[in-house]
Amino acid sequence: MSALKKTEKINLRMDADAHDTISRAAEICGKSLTAFMTEAAVYSAQKELLDQRFIGVDARVFDNVNELLSKDGKPNKELVKLFKSNIGWID
């Protein structure tokens, strides 16, 4: 099986910190910078396109889901505790 021929090129400018972060992540994954960035960009693009898709359901399903979403939520004790904490996220 032959690999797809790569004919398209994109040039990017970014600050040094962004480049360093992406390079470190690519290295940890054992991928080239190009492979890592291509994979990340394609994943992000696919996710965005899927988020824009229309999902059609019949009226009964819609009404049931809408009723569930209209109800007041119940607080999750662990999430409330987390959101109230002042944990400093460290790299």
Side-chain angles (χ1 to χ4, degrees), residues 12-49:
L12 298 170
R13 293 196 185 280
M14 65 181 73
D15 62 54
D17 288 341
H19 184 274
D20 290 345
T21 300
I22 295 167
S23 293
R24 282 179 32 220
E27 187 176 334
I28 288 170
C29 293
K31 298 177 183 174
S32 69
L33 189 59
T34 298
F36 183 84
M37 291 181 69
T38 300
E39 184 179 295
V42 168
Y43 172 81
S44 182
Q46 289 173 337
K47 184 179 178 305
E48 189 64 35
L49 292 170

Side-chain angles (χ1 to χ4, degrees), residues 11-85:
N11 293 312
L12 298 170
R13 293 196 185 280
M14 65 181 73
D15 62 54
D17 288 341
H19 184 274
D20 290 345
T21 300
I22 295 167
S23 293
R24 282 179 32 220
E27 187 176 334
I28 288 170
C29 293
K31 298 177 183 174
S32 69
L33 189 59
T34 298
F36 183 84
M37 291 181 69
T38 300
E39 184 179 295
V42 168
Y43 172 81
S44 182
Q46 289 173 337
K47 184 179 178 305
E48 189 64 35
L49 292 170
L50 287 172
D51 285 347
Q52 302 302 316
R53 286 237 165 124
F54 172 78
I55 299 174
V57 296
D58 66 41
R60 183 182 57 76
V61 172
F62 178 85
D63 290 341
N64 287 341
V65 170
N66 194 44
E67 181 182 336
L68 289 171
L69 292 174
S70 297
K71 293 180 180 177
D72 289 338
K74 297 176 185 171
N76 178 308
K77 285 189 252 181
E78 293 300 316
L79 282 177
V80 170
K81 180 180 171 185
L82 176 65
F83 291 143
K84 287 182 178 180
S85 70

